[in-house]
Amino acid sequence: MTMTTTATTTAATDGLTDRVVLLTGVTGDIGTRYLNAFTRAGAHVVAVDLPSCESEGRRLADEAGATGPGRAVFVGGDITDEADVRRAVDEAVQRFGGLHSVVNNAAVYRTLGGKRALTELTAADWDLVLRVNVVGTWQVIKAAAPHLAASGDGRIVNIASVVSRNGAPGFAHYVASKAAVEGLTRAAARELGADGTTVNTVSPGLVDDAASRELNTSDYLATAAGARAIPRPMLPEDLVGAVLWLAGPAAGFVTGQTLVVDGGGVFV
Ligand SMILES: NC(=O)c1ccc[n+]([C@@H]2O[C@H](COP(=O)([O-])OP(=O)(O)OC[C@H]3O[C@@H](n4cnc5c(N)ncnc54)[C@H](O)[C@@H]3O)[C@@H](O)[C@H]2O)c1
């Protein structure tokens, strides 16, 4: 018996026009890059970040929306606060008519404030990082899930980090939080799949952005860059293709997966 295959000419990031995306952590270098890429692709974005980032967040959303063709609105909120998260989801439904995709990019990363041995971390350090990076991510999934189900084609992209594989020293609580994000992804993929919602993780390598430059020496960044199969610094735009693909219709039968994007630093 011969099998026929149907060639498809669909580009990986096609189909984002008029998709409504909830994106968290939008004022960080990487989040801003996702915001601009989504609106350029025609998606409408509810851009979320802490209320303390309000003026910067509004400016970034206004700029992205003005460039378009997609529109963008900023919502100040803390992802660990159930009411804030609900307000962001409601904004998507009221302003843009629904919700199709979520990118859980917000995390305590830059504000880790430096590297510390695990023997120096406190329980309060752990509480904050796990509360934002894991519980906050779950909180957004919980609030978004019914609306993603209503769309019949929902997408959730969680952001982890290769540190959960290479065990980068200096922030054990952050490393553990990103491993937990991968587990949460798999659990959510199982629970939400029957509704047509996919849930995946993008796991970035060390990005040469403002946050990483605050936490790492330039020697450390250069060594990481040189150790990659593609031996160069990683930039925020290196993540855009993977995130937009997993957030869009083309990736509808991929779920529960972790896609490492790090130029071949670690192989999984
Ligand atoms: N930069 C890297 O090298 C790297 C590598 C791997 C993974 N990542 C991940 O990529 C994502 C973006 O990284 P980044 O470098 O832009 O980090 P960043 O720290 O600069 O940005 C994180 C963003 O999340 C926001 N945020 C923090 N707590 C929040 C809360 N409770 N509610 C709402 N928003 C909150 C911050 O205000 C900030 O805008 C993070 O999930 C990070 O862990 C980054």
Side-chain angles (χ1 to χ4, degrees):
M1 200 169 93
T2 49
M3 272 184 55
T4 51
T5 54
T6 310
T8 169
T9 54
T10 308
T13 56
D14 274 2
L16 287 165
T17 301
D18 288 334
R19 257 185 111 81
V20 182
V21 179
L22 192 153
L23 166 66
T24 66
V26 78
T27 70
D29 283 357
I30 298 175
T32 303
R33 210 52 61 99
Y34 298 151
L35 166 66
N36 291 325
F38 274 121
T39 53
R40 268 202 305 270
H44 308 304
V45 181
V46 175
V48 179
D49 211 313
L50 289 168
S52 56
C53 305
E54 181 108 27
S55 60
E56 177 68 351
R58 279 190 193 286
R59 185 185 69 74
L60 291 166
D62 288 350
E63 266 179 31
T67 312
R71 291 179 284 153
V73 61
F74 179 78
V75 174
D78 184 327
I79 59 164
T80 68
D81 184 313
E82 194 173 359
D84 284 1
V85 171
R86 208 177 318 114
R87 216 161 27 80
V89 170
D90 287 350
E91 183 72 23
V93 175
Q94 281 158 22
R95 188 176 291 244
F96 299 128
L99 182 61
H100 304 97
S101 307
V102 168
V103 179
N104 273 311
N105 171 68
V108 175
Y109 176 56
R110 184 177 187 157
T111 47
L112 288 168
K115 294 189 177 177
R116 278 174 297 157
L118 68 86
T119 48
E120 289 170 17
L121 294 174
T122 66
D125 294 327
W126 277 86
D127 285 347
L128 174 68
V129 168
L130 293 179
R131 175 106 192 120
V132 175
N133 297 9
V134 186
V135 181
T137 297
W138 159 77
Q139 193 109 263
V140 176
I141 293 172
K142 179 182 176 182
H147 302 282
L148 297 173
S151 82
D153 192 32
R155 302 280 179 271
I156 297 171
V157 184
N158 296 324
I159 305 296
S161 167
V162 291
V163 296
S164 66
R165 278 138 217 272
N166 65 24
F171 31 59
H173 51 344
Y174 175 77
V175 171
S177 76
K178 292 303 190 177
V181 166
E182 290 191 48
L184 171 60
T185 293
R186 295 184 190 121
R190 288 269 178 224
E191 292 200 24
L192 304 181
D195 297 329
T197 299
T198 67
V199 193
N200 291 288
T201 302
V202 168
S203 185
L206 182 64
V207 177
D208 196 344
D209 68 351
S212 294
R213 284 196 294 274
E214 225 169 274
L215 291 168
N216 300 281
T217 63
S218 48
D219 278 357
Y220 189 90
L221 283 160
T223 303
R228 296 186 173 121
I230 302 169
R232 65 159 174 82
M234 179 169 169
L235 300 171
E237 43 265 45
D238 289 316
L239 289 159
V240 165
V243 168
L244 266 64
W245 172 59
L246 287 171
F253 208 53
V254 178
T255 196
Q257 305 303 311
T258 297
L259 179 52
V260 174
V261 181
D262 78 336
V266 300
F267 293 134
V268 291

